[in-house]
Amino acid sequence: MRAHGRIDRASVKAIESDLQTIQAGYGYGDWNRVGSVFASAPLRAQYVRTLRFWKEDAGGQLRVDLIASQPLGAGRFAVTARFSGDRRSVPSYGLFEFSSGPRGARIVGTISGLHGTNYRNVNWTISRTKHFIVYHSPYQLVGADKTGLADLEYQRAVFARKFGVKLPPRAAYYLYPEQRLIAVWTSRFCGSNPDNVGCTVQGALPPTIHTSEWVSFHEPIHVYQTVMEPPRYTDPLFIAEGMAVALEDKEVDPRQSDYCSEVAYVPLDTCARFAIGNVKLISMLPDTGFDAADPGYAYSLAGSFVKYLILRFGYRPFGKFYYLLAAQPKDRVSDYNVATQRVFHTSIEQLLRDWSNQLCGAGCG
């Protein structure tokens, strides 16, 4: 279902034609064709660079769909476009301002419909579900994309059932129309790195997500972790981020994590096999080592390791391990071993060896 304001059919067709030009240009690797739709040189360069990276990284078939359009006056339109590929991968969105004339339509810029200096005073549109308050642009969560609200609730219910826990009654979800606005409106406590598309403030009331992804199945995991940790303690990043990476899937299934995916779906272990030769695993157990590693390597390896633990031992035993590890005073190897010995009856070193041997059975690097 698409949502359109009072907009004439000819303009809709012109906008759809431009989006199909982007789709066809991606398919053929014709970046001049992709760029021809953009009147703004900086925006043209940004999208050509992004789409080219997607294609060269993993390929896949790109769909560019018109989700919604609203007239702004004087031949200008606010357009919500969805960029999607494999159904297992979270889509990306563009909020564009189109200008339409006798020769067709072109993208002249981006549009958010939002203004403010801090996320607390931005004029958000608000959508609510039983357990989420979602703050977003008036051009987001429109038409078919409203189904994402039900997907959030579904993932929450699946997580609670699989881990056997009672989750926080409410979470705030701030959905930013562009990644760069996360840093601007959070005073850079989140999103300062362009690769950082989200963060979660677990100690806020309610726990608060900041992200430019819709739907993010990663950040809600950090909300749910709050009921799996002792008061005033948090788990080491290697396990906390690994858990969020492994379970960023609607079904909370680590075999379906889309962490490595853009347009094409890439299994998590594929990235881990490439990364494992570039870091010393034991060095990433403390937060200082995890932070020092390349983020792409650190997150994919942590996620693959948590996937291994959950598939080998089960969700609830992993949850017990998570709690016991978070209860330790530090994040040393000896602290990990207290938790692994009690729950899994072996050392963290042995678990890392078992996992890496399984991961690299068919080769790594």
Side-chain angles (χ1 to χ4, degrees), residues 85-139:
D86 191 293
R87 61 178 179 79
R88 295 168 292 181
S89 302
V90 172
S92 296
Y93 291 84
L95 304 184
F96 299 120
E97 181 177 343
F98 271 75
S99 177
S100 181
R103 296 186 177 182
R106 294 188 80 196
I107 299 172
V108 296
T110 58
I111 190 167
S112 72
L114 301 174
H115 56 80
T117 58
N118 185 280
Y119 74 93
R120 293 184 178 90
N121 63 28
V122 168
N123 60 319
W124 302 100
T125 296
I126 300 175
S127 296
R128 298 175 185 270
T129 69
K130 184 176 180 180
H131 299 104
F132 291 90
I133 308 169
V134 183
Y135 300 82
H136 57 93
S137 160
Y139 307 124

Side-chain angles (χ1 to χ4, degrees), residues 9-289:
R9 184 59 193 160
S11 295
V12 171
K13 289 185 68 175
I15 292 167
E16 287 179 328
S17 176
D18 277 0
L19 298 181
Q20 290 306 302
T21 296
I22 296 173
Q23 178 175 308
Y26 178 93
Y28 289 112
D30 185 343
W31 308 116
N32 288 330
R33 190 172 183 178
V34 170
S36 69
V37 173
F38 296 88
S40 161
L43 197 60
R44 180 189 312 128
Q46 174 189 335
Y47 271 86
V48 167
R49 182 171 59 250
T50 298
L51 269 63
R52 191 166 191 163
F53 171 77
W54 290 352
K55 189 171 184 69
E56 292 176 355
D57 183 49
Q61 294 297 313
L62 177 70
R63 282 182 55 92
V64 187
D65 294 308
L66 175 59
I67 300 301
S69 57
Q70 297 182 35
L72 300 173
R76 304 237 167 172
F77 304 92
V79 168
T80 304
R82 181 173 60 207
F83 297 77
S84 62
D86 191 293
R87 61 178 179 79
R88 295 168 292 181
S89 302
V90 172
S92 296
Y93 291 84
L95 304 184
F96 299 120
E97 181 177 343
F98 271 75
S99 177
S100 181
R103 296 186 177 182
R106 294 188 80 196
I107 299 172
V108 296
T110 58
I111 190 167
S112 72
L114 301 174
H115 56 80
T117 58
N118 185 280
Y119 74 93
R120 293 184 178 90
N121 63 28
V122 168
N123 60 319
W124 302 100
T125 296
I126 300 175
S127 296
R128 298 175 185 270
T129 69
K130 184 176 180 180
H131 299 104
F132 291 90
I133 308 169
V134 183
Y135 300 82
H136 57 93
S137 160
Y139 307 124
Q140 294 171 304
L141 273 66
V142 289
D145 289 337
K146 290 181 180 178
T147 59
L149 295 168
D151 291 340
L152 281 175
E153 289 286 349
Y154 180 85
Q155 187 205 32
R156 182 185 186 279
V158 172
F159 186 100
R161 173 172 53 81
K162 288 187 173 183
F163 282 96
V165 292
K166 184 177 180 180
L167 297 175
R170 193 84 65 221
Y173 188 124
Y174 287 87
L175 174 59
Y176 294 76
E178 296 181 66
Q179 187 278 338
R180 66 176 185 84
L181 291 175
I182 303 176
V184 173
W185 286 340
T186 64
S187 301
R188 301 186 68 79
F189 76 73
C190 182
S192 57
N193 185 321
D195 292 331
N196 185 323
V197 297
C199 71
T200 297
V201 185
Q202 293 179 319
L205 292 175
T208 299
I209 294 166
H210 298 273
T211 184
S212 56
E213 282 193 335
W214 185 252
V215 177
S216 172
F217 294 123
H218 177 109
E219 295 304 331
I221 301 299
H222 290 308
V223 173
Y224 309 149
Q225 287 169 343
T226 61
V227 302
M228 301 171 66
E229 299 165 340
R232 299 183 301 280
Y233 286 88
T234 56
D235 228 10
L237 290 171
F238 183 68
I239 297 301
E241 290 297 346
M243 181 180 176
V245 166
L247 301 181
E248 57 176 76
D249 168 62
K250 180 179 173 180
E251 300 286 347
V252 198
D253 186 342
R255 295 165 297 188
Q256 297 297 325
S257 168
D258 75 340
Y259 174 77
C260 291
S261 306
E262 296 289 354
V263 176
Y265 177 76
V266 178
L268 176 58
D269 284 350
T270 299
C271 290
R273 290 188 186 99
F274 176 81
I276 198 168
N278 295 283
V279 295
K280 188 176 181 181
L281 293 175
I282 205 77
S283 71
M284 293 196 302
L285 298 184
D287 288 356
T288 52

